[in-house]
Amino acid sequence: MGKRFIEGARVPAELVNQKSEKEKQSGGRPPFWEMVFWWTRKPLSGARAIIGASLLPEEITPEEFTTQLRLNEDIPHKYPPLIFSNREFLKYFLGKKMLDPFAGFGCIPLEALRLGLEVTAGELLPTAYIFLKAILEYPAEFGDILVEDVKRWGEWITEKLKEDKEIKELYDEEVAVYVGTWEIKCPHCGKWTPIVGNWWLARVKDSKGKYKRLAYMDYQKTEEGIEIEVIDVNKEVGATENAKVDTNKGEIVIEEKTYKVPAPNINSRREQVICLNCGSVIRFADAEGNHYTDKKEVAKGKREELEFYVKWALKKYHDGDERFARQRLLVKVKPEDGDLIFEKATIEDNKKLGIAKEKVKKLIESGDVDVPSENLWNYSASGGGALSIFIWGFDKFYKLFNPRQLLTLIKITKLIREVGKRAEDEKLKKGWSEEKAFKYSEAIATYLSIALLRYITFNTVTSPIRVDTLFNAIVAGNMSFRGIAMVWNYGEIFPFCSITGSWVKNNEKVINSLQYLTSALSNKPKNIEIIQADATSLNLGEQFDIIVTDPPYADDVPYSELSDFYYVWLKRALSDVEGGKLIPRYHKEAFFKKIGKKYIEIKTQWQEFAKKEVSENAGRFMDLENKQEIAKKHFKNLLTQSFIAMKNHLKDDGVLVTYYAHTSPEAWASLLYAGWKGAKVTITNAFPLTTESTQSIVSRGKLALDTSIVVVWRKIQQEKEKNIHSLREEIIEAVKKRTKELINQGYVGRDVLIGAMARALNIITRYKELYDAKGNLTVEKVLTEYVYPFTAIGIAESLREIAETGEIKKPESLFYLLVKALFGSKEKVTAKKMEKSDIILLRLSTKVDTDKLLSHKVLKKVKEEYKLLEPMTTDTTQLERFLKDERGINFIKLKIRNSLDGLHLMEYYSLKLPASNLRKKWEELKEDFSFELEEAFILAKILAKILPDVDPEKELAESFVRNVEGKEVKPLQQEKMF
Ligand SMILES: C[S@@+](CC[C@H](N)C(=O)[O-])C[C@H]1O[C@@H](n2cnc3c(N)ncnc32)[C@H](O)[C@@H]1O
Ligand SMILES: [Zn+2]
């Protein structure tokens, strides 16, 4: 069983991460990602590197690895790997089989196919299963001809839609986008007030950061109610380059004129709206709709029944009682010579919405099956607000659209169904076999459905207006924030305009994607199998050379519910209708359950699949007591089941690689429970990899999730049990060796930490059970009491060996040393960049708690983050200030509390005092603080050797050591370090 490249210390992680970063920037994104949004997609460069490294032998050089996989190209995924012209390398790939049971949007399988593997991609959710077919199967099977046909049939739909009398009647072809919102009847004055979350229409900067386009809405009170006005600053003053804009105040100042942009009149968090007519505050309603400004106005026991008036009114609206809330268009947007013109929406415009509403009503009353009337979920997601849209009364999927949006989407759905039939007939007439013609028409209908799905995300009452981006992207998709959120002005897009998100633009995106995919998969053997299957109970009856996969993490994304938004439309566009009901046509396994001979329609994924998702979502267990606990256990169980299934599908000499988008200690623990304890597989390596874009995650206010940990596992006969103490030396030695290897290759930070820790994990996971004097150890104990501390000791030992000096004994000193050594930038002086999980890991490793780190002045709390207290300068005045203000050193009554006080003080003295006096000072201080000063000196010796040149503390430590020893510190060349 030869070691693979991925199991050694030479995977060029830094390079791969750089390329993955590139992929997230515009121009670097894989085009097929634009088809439709899916969560937590993995960069293709990383996937390619991991698959390649799992199959190639350890002996190849990093250079060969990089060139063969084209990882040295600017954007690697734009280039096919070279291996096909190199028999030496091809042999490691040809005929090899890979499984990804959590395939999502198929990024890992796509790269596997490009490397010539035989691939099985599985997904629990029907929606993803269909996307996987569109990404992998059809392009590989049909190739280029698909591109032309999808284009042609997309245009056919566009033509039909353009000819549609109702479409002509309902839209104004000059208008690309309508901005709409909700109105509430004010309980004080009885008039309708619009609710506007953002009065801005355009606040666009040029490349130099100057404003090139400024426009906003204002309003007038009239007899008829609130009238919207558009203030187009460019129209009034021409160029706006010199404008000063204060978004907080809502002010534009330009050429001595001040424009006031109204403030939003809703504050959802505070549950309050201000009536634009009478200025009163609208707050709470009871069940009957009585209004209260203060909850205290009702008796104590009844206060819980009060809710935000707007919520109450919207719920009424969705129940069919439209006396308290209604929809309203505020503004229309017309494209003109590359610019956008904003005009207020007229009564006529709003009337059209009313006409559409009548038509939709008729469809619903007649029981038209193409109105997606499935129930929305009615619970929240535990990780955040991703699912909370239901609280505004949206209880059925079709309610997420205004009537004109809905009517248009339904028409397109019906046309896609029609295309399926026509495309099939066309090919049959050309003599294709029935089977092939059917599948081909399925492919065409599937791509057009995906274009429809994209249109759906941009065309709901939850698709926000963007004011600060390019003109052609004035509407954002409603999924871009990893959840569906309420918005108080949304965009409605005319199907045929050239604004991002329109029906015709989406067709272009789908065509682009298809071109990319067919060319990526051209000339490859058709060896892809896509299965709709639960990864926790997989039973394929075959084994794979490698399994590379990316399971979901805890409460990260509620996939079932969010993608239901797609599912209800996909089901319609891809099924047939008979007797007023949906019946199977394409992908019937995705939309129907077969019970006996009958096909029963699956209503939604949240009802059918959510509880099978490997996920920790307490909302799904809302009927149960201790739902939090149950959800946690549920996640752990399912993750374990899936690891067991993966082990069963792995060849004996196969390699299992898992991505895991979390680095907290709890995340490590659940991963080890599932893999090591549950499936009894052994870790052979681990390293961090850049994955998700930070942006989407930060917007949810969660800890940055932009790195995944990649863990490599093997099926190895594990020994029964072991006293963990007997492994101490072996673990520390292994960590030490790996640390040197990693540092030697220029690794820093988390890469060294995780890479070194992998050695410890490798050793412990060779045993089924570990125990110490107190008995068998839980996973948490193994980690916190042994793996982390041994890792820290091993790393510190290797640093100490480099500096040929004594041992660091105090935990806070060890913590400081590790942060300095691992997390410093080689390029510039900056505060240490650590994530919360890194700090936790280091804290656990060095067995020191946060309070102690704060009181010892190792860390300082800055808002929600922690900053390392370190000298950032070689200027004595500034150093003195650092010692006094930050470290709290009292020069008059000198007290040295720990080795770091000693270190920083001596570093300061070594600049301040003449060299001859320094040693004296040290000796003098040692009389009272002997331990602290000795350890300070050891720290200085290590820091002087290992810190990068840009770190000011390097010079300080050098000077301290030089003056005490009376000789120069030998500089250290990176390559010669060991
Ligand atoms: C982190 S995502 C994978 C993303 C994928 N690697 C990509 O690049 O697009 C995890 C996927 O696992 C799927 N999933 C969740 N539970 C599952 C189960 N029990 N069986 C199979 N798939 C499941 C989710 O639907 C989701 O698409
Ligand atoms: Zn009012």
Side-chain angles (χ1 to χ4, degrees):
M1 185 164 57
K3 253 196 179 182
R4 309 282 167 82
F5 193 62
I6 201 168
E7 295 175 298
R10 297 186 306 161
V11 178
E14 179 88 9
L15 176 79
V16 176
N17 286 341
Q18 275 167 17
K19 302 297 172 180
S20 299
E21 281 296 333
K22 273 258 162 82
E23 256 182 63
K24 295 190 228 153
Q25 289 152 15
S26 71
R29 279 164 67 88
F32 75 100
W33 285 22
E34 311 296 339
M35 284 202 293
V36 65
F37 184 78
W38 193 261
W39 303 263
T40 71
R41 292 180 282 206
K42 297 297 170 286
L44 301 183
S45 331
R48 185 184 292 187
I50 286 181
I51 299 165
S54 308
L55 287 164
L56 290 164
E58 199 199 7
E59 302 78 59
I60 63 156
T61 65
E63 292 71 34
E64 283 174 308
F65 177 77
T66 313
T67 32
Q68 288 303 315
L69 299 181
R70 306 291 284 272
L71 294 171
N72 46 358
E73 303 290 349
D74 190 36
I75 313 252
H77 75 76
K78 295 189 174 165
Y79 302 86
L82 288 182
I83 51 163
F84 288 96
S85 50
N86 186 333
R87 284 168 110 213
E88 247 324 283
F89 280 87
L90 196 56
K91 70 171 187 238
Y92 296 109
F93 296 92
L94 272 198
K96 295 290 190 307
K97 295 202 283 186
M98 186 196 89
L99 167 68
D100 175 0
F102 295 98
F105 211 65
C107 302
I108 300 170
L110 176 68
E111 284 303 326
L113 285 175
R114 296 175 91 175
L115 286 165
L117 305 186
E118 290 175 26
V119 178
T120 302
E123 245 290 336
L124 172 71
L125 298 180
T127 305
Y129 162 73
I130 292 168
F131 292 163
L132 285 169
K133 289 197 166 222
I135 295 162
L136 306 166
E137 184 175 310
Y138 304 139
E141 184 163 342
F142 298 114
D144 285 344
I145 56 161
L146 257 182
V147 180
E148 273 315 301
D149 276 331
V150 172
K151 188 156 177 252
R152 187 160 53 88
W153 286 111
E155 282 162 3
W156 183 85
I157 291 180
T158 306
E159 287 318 307
K160 287 281 168 207
L161 205 59
K162 277 186 175 162
E163 288 163 13
D164 189 296
K165 260 188 17 228
E166 288 181 329
I167 294 283
K168 277 192 187 148
E169 173 193 356
L170 291 174
Y171 288 96
D172 174 347
E173 56 179 18
E174 286 180 358
V175 179
V177 171
Y178 291 95
V179 180
T181 192
W182 297 89
E183 285 194 324
I184 295 292
K185 179 160 291 164
C186 171
H188 304 285
C189 68
K191 290 187 178 162
W192 289 99
T193 177
I195 305 182
V196 182
N198 190 359
W199 293 84
W200 285 95
L201 292 168
R203 202 173 54 217
V204 185
K205 287 181 179 169
D206 62 18
S207 56
K208 291 188 208 101
K210 304 254 187 210
Y211 288 98
K212 67 171 175 188
R213 197 73 182 85
L214 290 168
Y216 63 93
M217 296 180 277
D218 205 337
Y219 63 94
Q220 289 278 335
K221 287 181 239 180
T222 71
E223 272 308 300
E224 284 77 45
I226 296 299
E227 276 233 24
I228 296 296
E229 282 176 17
V230 168
I231 317 290
D232 190 322
V233 183
N234 295 78
K235 261 195 194 157
E236 296 196 5
V237 302
T240 51
E241 278 143 39
N242 299 323
K244 295 215 163 37
V245 176
D246 184 331
T247 46
N248 287 335
K249 276 204 218 148
E251 242 176 43
I252 305 170
V253 182
I254 182 163
E255 285 159 14
E256 276 146 47
K257 192 165 174 197
T258 302
Y259 294 86
K260 282 293 263 175
V261 184
N265 67 330
I266 180 162
N267 184 331
S268 299
R269 213 164 26 87
R270 295 195 52 206
E271 303 188 297
Q272 106 174 16
V273 158
I274 295 180
C275 170
L276 298 180
N277 299 289
C278 68
S280 309
V281 179
I282 306 173
R283 298 209 65 188
F284 307 108
D286 64 15
E288 282 76 48
N290 299 309
H291 177 264
Y292 304 89
T293 313
D294 194 329
K295 283 197 179 171
K296 289 194 191 117
E297 288 168 40
V298 295
K300 251 195 178 150
K302 294 214 124 195
R303 281 180 202 163
E304 293 68 43
E305 289 165 24
L306 295 183
E307 64 179 333
F308 186 16
Y309 193 89
V310 179
K311 247 178 222 171
W312 175 84
L314 252 68
K315 277 188 191 160
K316 281 276 173 204
Y317 175 89
H318 290 305
D319 283 346
D321 181 350
E322 303 188 1
R323 287 176 298 161
F324 311 99
R326 67 180 187 188
Q327 288 176 328
R328 162 146 185 207
L329 300 174
L330 303 172
V331 163
K332 47 188 175 185
V333 185
K334 299 178 176 175
E336 207 179 274
D337 303 332
D339 192 3
L340 296 179
I341 309 293
F342 303 97
E343 287 172 12
K344 72 175 175 196
T346 59
I347 294 176
E348 283 308 307
D349 291 319
N350 275 289
K351 267 196 188 142
K352 288 189 175 173
L353 208 56
I355 300 170
K357 193 157 176 184
E358 286 309 309
K359 295 188 192 281
V360 165
K361 210 163 146 198
K362 284 212 185 95
L363 284 183
I364 295 173
E365 279 165 8
S366 70
D368 191 303
V369 69
D370 286 329
V371 180
S373 49
E374 287 88 343
N375 289 337
L376 217 79
W377 58 84
N378 55 354
Y379 46 82
S380 299
S382 29
L387 299 181
S388 64
I389 190 70
F390 77 92
I391 63 175
W392 300 97
F394 298 95
D395 55 356
K396 296 194 183 295
F397 281 91
Y398 75 82
K399 295 184 181 176
L400 290 164
F401 306 90
N402 85 19
R404 184 167 49 196
Q405 290 172 325
L406 184 60
L407 200 65
T408 307
L409 296 171
I410 291 173
K411 284 180 191 289
I412 298 176
T413 305
K414 292 182 192 292
L415 287 168
I416 294 174
R417 192 178 289 132
E418 179 74 29
V419 163
K421 298 198 174 111
R422 286 173 181 248
E424 187 181 12
D425 277 351
E426 186 183 78
K427 294 299 173 201
L428 284 172
K429 282 198 190 114
K430 284 199 175 150
W432 287 32
S433 73
E434 274 182 25
E435 199 189 337
K436 193 170 172 198
F438 176 78
K439 186 151 186 204
Y440 192 72
S441 66
E442 174 183 86
I444 292 173
T446 302
Y447 290 113
L448 294 173
S449 302
I450 288 175
L452 169 72
L453 296 187
R454 192 175 145 93
Y455 190 25
I456 287 168
T457 64
F458 282 95
N459 202 35
T460 70
V461 294
T462 56
S463 308
I465 289 290
R466 284 160 52 156
V467 298
D468 50 5
T469 44
L470 298 172
F471 299 134
N472 63 2
I474 180 173
V475 186
N478 70 336
M479 296 273 191
S480 24
F481 295 103
R482 279 197 168 200
I484 303 177
M486 189 65 184
V487 301
W488 300 99
N489 40 9
Y490 65 87
E492 181 190 357
I493 306 185
F494 180 52
F496 317 120
C497 71
S498 52
I499 296 278
T500 299
S502 78
W503 162 253
V504 289
K505 275 283 159 191
N506 295 337
N507 272 298
E508 287 172 20
K509 292 275 185 204
V510 170
I511 301 293
N512 278 347
S513 308
L514 200 49
Q515 262 158 351
Y516 174 85
L517 292 167
T518 50
S519 102
L521 297 173
S522 62
N523 309 325
K524 299 292 178 306
K526 298 180 193 88
N527 39 27
I528 169 81
E529 187 166 358
I530 294 173
I531 51 172
Q532 188 185 317
D534 183 346
T536 65
S537 57
L538 210 56
N539 190 359
L540 301 174
E542 61 176 325
Q543 290 190 322
F544 297 80
D545 297 281
I546 54 170
I547 299 178
V548 179
T549 197
D550 168 28
Y553 177 70
D555 60 5
D556 195 28
V557 179
Y559 293 94
S560 302
E561 293 85 350
L562 290 178
S563 63
D564 262 335
F565 177 71
Y566 299 142
Y567 184 72
V568 295
W569 290 97
L570 269 181
K571 182 168 56 174
R572 288 175 168 75
L574 296 170
S575 299
D576 241 332
V577 181
E578 197 183 85
K581 278 171 114 181
L582 290 177
I583 57 159
R585 175 151 167 87
Y586 300 126
H587 311 293
K588 56 176 180 283
E589 63 285 13
F591 305 127
F592 296 86
K593 274 191 287 196
K594 201 168 176 201
I595 297 179
K597 280 193 180 151
K598 268 184 140 176
Y599 283 98
I600 311 286
E601 182 190 329
I602 296 170
K603 284 292 165 193
T604 60
Q605 296 180 140
W606 71 265
Q607 284 154 311
E608 192 71 24
F609 297 100
K611 284 191 181 159
K612 294 184 183 162
E613 230 184 77
V614 177
S615 163
E616 178 187 318
N617 200 324
R620 294 176 185 149
F621 300 96
M622 61 172 180
D623 303 332
L624 305 177
E625 271 180 57
N626 21 337
K627 53 182 184 194
Q628 298 292 355
E629 220 173 286
I630 290 172
K632 271 200 162 60
K633 269 208 190 118
H634 183 73
F635 169 62
K636 238 174 161 176
N637 278 343
L638 295 196
L639 190 64
T640 303
Q641 294 310 318
S642 72
F643 262 88
I644 293 173
M646 289 195 281
K647 181 190 186 178
N648 293 337
H649 287 84
L650 189 66
K651 288 186 181 170
D652 285 344
D653 63 349
V655 175
L656 163 63
V657 185
T658 53
Y659 285 69
Y660 202 51
H662 238 269
T663 54
S664 71
E666 300 91 79
W668 276 106
S670 37
L671 186 67
L672 282 178
Y673 264 114
W676 172 35
K677 288 286 174 175
K680 306 203 175 2
V681 280
T682 298
I683 291 181
T684 61
N685 204 1
F687 49 88
L689 202 72
T690 302
T691 50
E692 275 89 309
S693 77
T694 18
Q695 178 204 334
S696 58
I697 298 133
V698 169
S699 64
R700 285 164 72 225
K702 281 190 124 191
L703 197 69
L705 266 177
D706 65 333
T707 24
S708 286
I709 301 295
V710 170
V711 180
V712 188
W713 311 79
R714 286 270 198 169
K715 274 162 91 165
I716 288 172
Q717 191 56 45
Q718 293 173 344
E719 279 179 43
K720 203 162 158 251
E721 54 180 9
K722 194 82 174 174
N723 183 336
I724 196 156
H725 288 286
S726 68
L727 295 172
R728 189 176 191 278
E729 291 316 308
E730 187 186 350
I731 292 176
I732 292 175
E733 264 317 302
V735 169
K736 229 163 83 178
K737 185 160 168 259
R738 179 56 61 92
T739 304
K740 288 182 187 173
E741 287 168 346
L742 293 168
I743 290 182
N744 248 346
Q745 285 179 60
Y747 283 94
V748 288
R750 201 174 300 128
D751 291 347
V752 178
L753 189 62
I754 305 292
M757 188 168 101
R759 302 307 306 137
L761 292 173
N762 170 245
I763 293 170
I764 59 135
T765 57
R766 289 180 201 161
Y767 304 92
K768 290 199 178 83
E769 231 15 288
L770 291 168
Y771 60 90
D772 64 9
K774 290 193 209 115
N776 283 353
L777 293 163
T778 60
V779 168
E780 283 85 357
K781 278 236 154 97
V782 169
L783 285 173
T784 52
E785 301 199 359
Y786 299 99
V787 170
Y788 300 147
F790 288 177
T791 303
I793 296 170
I795 295 175
E797 283 283 293
S798 74
L799 300 176
R800 182 167 80 92
E801 282 182 14
I802 299 167
E804 299 165 353
T805 181
E807 198 183 330
I808 301 294
K809 293 209 175 76
K810 286 284 183 191
E812 66 276 6
S813 308
L814 192 55
F815 181 92
Y816 184 81
L817 175 65
L818 293 185
V819 176
K820 287 292 292 195
L822 299 181
F823 288 87
S825 157
K826 278 187 252 170
E827 284 88 40
K828 54 180 194 281
V829 198
T830 45
K832 303 285 166 278
K833 247 171 86 188
M834 285 178 292
E835 289 184 5
K836 208 156 136 197
S837 54
D838 294 324
I839 300 193
I840 297 172
L841 222 57
L842 284 172
R843 245 188 338 85
L844 292 170
S845 304
T846 50
K847 295 197 167 185
V848 52
D849 60 40
T850 314
D851 286 344
K852 203 160 173 206
L853 289 170
L854 290 171
S855 72
H856 274 293
K857 308 275 181 193
V858 182
L859 295 180
K860 177 182 165 180
K861 195 154 187 201
V862 188
K863 285 184 198 150
E864 283 308 295
E865 290 182 340
Y866 294 97
K867 190 179 140 221
L868 189 75
L869 280 180
E870 55 181 331
M872 302 283 276
T873 167
T874 50
D875 174 290
T876 45
T877 325
Q878 280 183 42
L879 272 178
E880 196 177 313
R881 204 172 307 140
F882 163 73
L883 288 171
K884 280 185 183 160
D885 300 350
E886 303 254 44
R887 291 215 68 86
I889 295 222
N890 182 345
F891 279 90
I892 300 157
K893 256 179 78 189
L894 199 60
K895 185 167 178 320
I896 291 179
R897 292 154 303 186
N898 57 41
S899 317
L900 298 171
D901 274 353
L903 172 70
H904 294 150
L905 194 65
M906 286 307 298
E907 286 173 344
Y908 163 73
Y909 283 139
S910 67
L911 291 193
K912 183 95 180 162
L913 302 178
S916 52
N917 286 2
L918 200 268
R919 194 182 164 96
K920 231 176 82 202
K921 187 83 192 170
W922 188 54
E923 298 289 354
E924 187 187 304
L925 285 173
K926 265 210 304 192
E927 279 172 23
D928 290 332
F929 309 103
S930 142
F931 176 85
E932 289 77 7
L933 270 286
E934 289 286 3
E935 194 169 82
F937 184 61
I938 298 175
L939 278 170
K941 278 185 92 165
I942 301 179
L943 295 175
K945 278 265 186 198
I946 59 152
L947 288 183
D949 289 342
V950 292
D951 189 330
E953 193 167 14
K954 187 183 184 75
E955 193 183 321
L956 297 172
E958 271 170 5
S959 156
F960 172 20
V961 175
R962 183 175 55 237
N963 292 330
V964 167
E965 286 190 335
K967 61 174 195 225
E968 289 292 323
V969 181
K970 255 199 262 137
L972 187 91
Q973 296 294 332
Q974 180 102 56
E975 312 79 71
K976 295 193 195 126
M977 211 148 98
F978 306 98

